[in-house]
Amino acid sequence: MHELIILGGGPAGYLAAERAGAAGLATALIEKNKIGGVCLNEGCIPSKTLLNSAKIYEHAKHGQVYGVHAEKVTLDQPAVIQRKNKVVKKLVAGITATLKAGKVNIINGTGTILERADGVVRVAVGDQVVEGRRLLIATGSEALVPPIPGVKEGLLDGTVLTNREILDLQEIPQNLVVIGGGVIGLEMAGYFQTCGSQVTVIEMLDHIAGNADREISTALQQAFTIQGIRFHLNSQVTRVADGKVYFKNSNGEQAVAADRVLLSVGRRPVTRDIVLENIGVDVVRGRIVTDRQGLTNVPDVYAAGDVNGAWMLAHAAYREAEVVINTILGKKDIMRYQAMPSVIYTNPEMAFVGETEETCHEKQLNYRKVVLPMTFSGRYMAENDGGNGLIKLLVDNDRERILGCHLLGGYASEIILAAGFMVETEMKISDIKEFIFPHPTVGEIIREAIFHT
Ligand code: NAI
């Protein structure tokens, strides 16, 4: 008998298993595919590995500005993919070793929930029945496939790709069309444009990058446009056929050539195979409903990660998993989302935390803002010739605290952590002014912005 059964070995599932194992709970982790889930195998880590190669390629090609000349610079896509596979393999091996050290019972296969009776949950994996006192559902999410004519056929013949297939692409397409200008679409658009594709992004809304602050996402779109990426906003894809993507907008129907198409229109929780009905777990619009401890409507049954549809981010999953394990261990813990950082690993990087100017308006918050070019940072100037990075800080006038911080520029993904602490701990502006920031760093831009508020 296990103390805990975990369904799904992605960031929520493996971290929960690691924490549970370390605390001495007899834990079973059921994974149908690879430990590490989408994040490690076909998401966060592979994409960052590719993007790093693109960054090096870009630096090598345009080093003259910095006095560095390189000739005959090429990008070897199969070598990039090979290195990516090596990185993923190492990380997966590391996690597996940690799980084994915690005596986690790793079971390979698809788990199907059978019943919960007399305080025991039973899950079938093939012929085996796994028993446990508690269940954590961490089955993640999968790419949404909209009913656009030609998309299903394209997925079958390999011309239409999701995040899974594009991260294994062995060649750089001449023309890549990206359907959906969200996080995945933008990261991959940046990669392939840098590597030589002509990339076109077709987005249904009037802006890219989803809920990001509009001023910053517009600046990212401008930077991408300068790099050569073409955007069609307010555009509806009507079909994919004959090596083209057809779409319509206020100018009527148009078509753009595509030897490959990336489908990145969002993701949906995976609950299909696990038969939640057998124990009556509440699901609303495909998402498992939980409270802020991750508990579902069924006693001793928890959910964490993308499957709850709250924030489809690996770092949200990590923290949700920890809250679940702490709760099981009887430690007081609760999930807070107000300081959830978001990062888009484009070049320039975009990162943000807290309120956007749009949500400040919606919530009728009394705020002031400061927008500064990153060139206020000496380190940024030293490293980014002609860079057009930005910081935007939103400050609560009533409470003198940071409401939101939005960054565009190199290292944004790392710097945002500092802003996240400030938002989470509700530090006063006057206290932040007393912080010593290392000099010269791009992170000093936060200090600059604070003194401009
Ligand atoms: P997304 O929700 O970020 O973006 C989807 C975009 O597609 C939206 O802008 C939407 O308006 C647009 N769209 C929807 N239907 C469309 C249609 N028929 N035609 C044109 N545009 C359409 O979803 P995405 O990029 O697929 O990413 C999925 C999830 O993965 C996100 O929740 C994201 O948080 C996560 N992710 C996070 C990363 C990170 O943190 N750096 C990296 C990659 C993914």
Side-chain angles (χ1 to χ4, degrees):
M1 170 76 70
H2 299 92
E3 289 297 324
L4 176 65
I5 301 173
I6 301 172
L7 265 180
Y14 78 68
L15 194 88
E18 279 182 19
R19 296 283 188 268
L25 288 182
T27 302
L29 177 64
I30 304 171
E31 168 57 54
K32 65 178 174 188
N33 204 340
K34 291 181 193 151
I35 294 290
V38 170
C39 173
L40 219 63
N41 295 290
E42 52 199 46
C44 325
I45 302 300
S47 59
K48 264 75 272 174
T49 314
L50 265 61
L51 286 164
N52 187 53
S53 292
K55 207 186 292 176
I56 294 168
Y57 181 48
E58 179 70 15
H59 281 170
K61 271 198 309 182
H62 298 118
Q64 311 90 285
V65 197
Y66 304 96
V68 180
H69 299 269
E71 281 169 20
K72 295 191 187 129
V73 179
T74 57
L75 180 124
D76 180 350
Q77 177 71 0
V80 172
I81 299 296
Q82 204 178 11
R83 176 172 178 273
K84 180 267 293 182
N85 291 339
K86 208 169 75 187
V87 170
V88 169
K89 208 170 154 190
K90 266 197 168 169
L91 287 168
V92 171
I95 290 168
T96 309
T98 311
L99 292 171
K100 285 187 177 153
K103 299 197 170 47
V104 174
N105 177 16
I106 303 173
I107 302 169
N108 200 250
T110 301
T112 307
I113 301 168
L114 296 174
E115 61 167 0
R116 179 177 178 275
D118 305 323
V120 177
V121 183
R122 291 186 178 83
V123 178
V125 187
D127 299 337
Q128 189 184 352
V129 175
V130 185
E131 292 187 332
R133 295 195 195 286
R134 303 170 193 86
L135 173 68
L136 169 60
I137 303 163
T139 42
S141 66
E142 62 188 2
L144 260 176
V145 179
I148 297 170
V151 161
K152 273 209 173 121
E153 295 80 349
L155 283 167
L156 288 174
D157 71 21
T159 49
V160 177
L161 316 166
T162 68
N163 59 293
R164 173 174 296 171
E165 301 82 27
I166 200 154
L167 292 165
D168 275 329
L169 207 56
Q170 293 287 331
E171 77 285 332
I172 303 296
Q174 203 179 346
N175 293 294
L176 173 71
V177 172
V178 174
I179 306 179
V183 194
I184 295 178
L186 292 171
E187 289 185 2
M188 287 299 100
Y191 177 75
F192 284 99
Q193 183 73 28
T194 303
C195 297
S197 300
Q198 172 57 62
V199 177
T200 305
V201 177
I202 304 177
E203 167 59 52
M204 185 170 82
L205 302 176
D206 65 357
H207 61 273
I208 60 164
N211 295 330
D213 187 280
R214 215 57 66 77
E215 204 169 341
I216 305 293
S217 60
T218 303
L220 175 63
Q221 191 184 333
Q222 282 163 355
F224 261 16
T225 304
I226 292 168
Q227 290 172 26
I229 297 174
R230 295 178 187 147
F231 289 92
H232 295 282
L233 304 183
N234 291 307
S235 297
Q236 200 75 44
V237 175
T238 49
R239 68 196 154 105
V240 177
D242 320 320
K244 288 191 178 113
V245 176
Y246 294 79
F247 62 97
K248 62 173 193 247
N249 55 28
S250 55
N251 299 324
E253 191 170 54
Q254 303 170 49
V256 52
D259 32 307
R260 301 284 182 161
V261 177
L262 170 65
L263 190 65
S264 50
V265 295
R267 300 181 64 82
R268 65 164 181 217
V270 175
T271 52
R272 216 181 17 247
D273 299 330
I274 53 179
V275 202
L276 290 169
E277 305 81 58
N278 282 346
I279 50 170
V281 172
D282 271 353
V283 176
V284 173
R285 277 183 286 130
R287 304 159 175 196
I288 295 184
V289 184
T290 69
D291 65 12
R292 287 174 65 197
Q293 260 99 22
L295 188 63
T296 68
N297 59 308
V298 180
D300 295 326
V301 177
Y302 298 82
D306 284 11
V307 78
N308 69 20
W311 288 77
M312 291 195 177
L313 295 168
H315 45 277
Y318 284 150
R319 182 67 195 124
E320 287 167 354
E322 274 169 2
V323 169
V324 167
I325 300 304
N326 284 337
T327 304
I328 290 173
L329 294 172
K331 295 184 194 161
K332 205 168 163 236
D333 202 357
I334 193 158
M335 195 60 206
R336 296 181 302 275
Y337 292 97
Q338 72 268 25
M340 183 68 68
S342 293
V343 179
I344 310 185
Y345 295 83
T346 40
N347 181 17
E349 288 181 357
M350 181 169 162
F352 50 99
V353 65
E355 304 290 346
T356 61
E357 204 166 352
E358 289 73 32
T359 60
C360 283
H361 280 297
E362 271 167 35
K363 296 178 184 174
Q364 300 185 325
L365 299 174
N366 176 18
Y367 73 97
R368 63 183 185 279
K369 73 167 175 178
V370 57
V371 180
L372 288 183
M374 282 277 190
T375 49
F376 272 69
S377 148
R379 172 105 187 268
Y380 183 84
M381 281 294 278
E383 295 188 3
N384 294 271
D385 206 83
N388 56 356
L390 287 174
I391 181 170
K392 176 171 181 174
L393 211 56
L394 302 165
V395 175
D396 188 326
N397 283 333
D398 300 326
R399 303 174 65 241
E400 283 302 308
R401 279 150 170 101
I402 296 180
L403 286 167
C405 178
H406 305 267
L407 299 164
L408 185 73
Y411 305 128
S413 55
E414 303 290 341
I415 300 166
I416 201 64
L417 178 67
F421 279 135
M422 294 169 193
V423 173
E424 171 69 20
T425 57
E426 304 189 336
M427 291 194 86
K428 279 199 214 147
I429 297 294
S430 56
D431 288 337
I432 300 172
K433 282 182 173 169
E434 293 176 9
F435 268 167
I436 300 170
F437 285 69
H439 176 79
T441 55
V442 180
E444 281 176 291
I445 198 69
I446 295 181
R447 184 175 153 81
E448 279 297 332
I450 289 282
F451 275 92
H452 278 79
T453 60

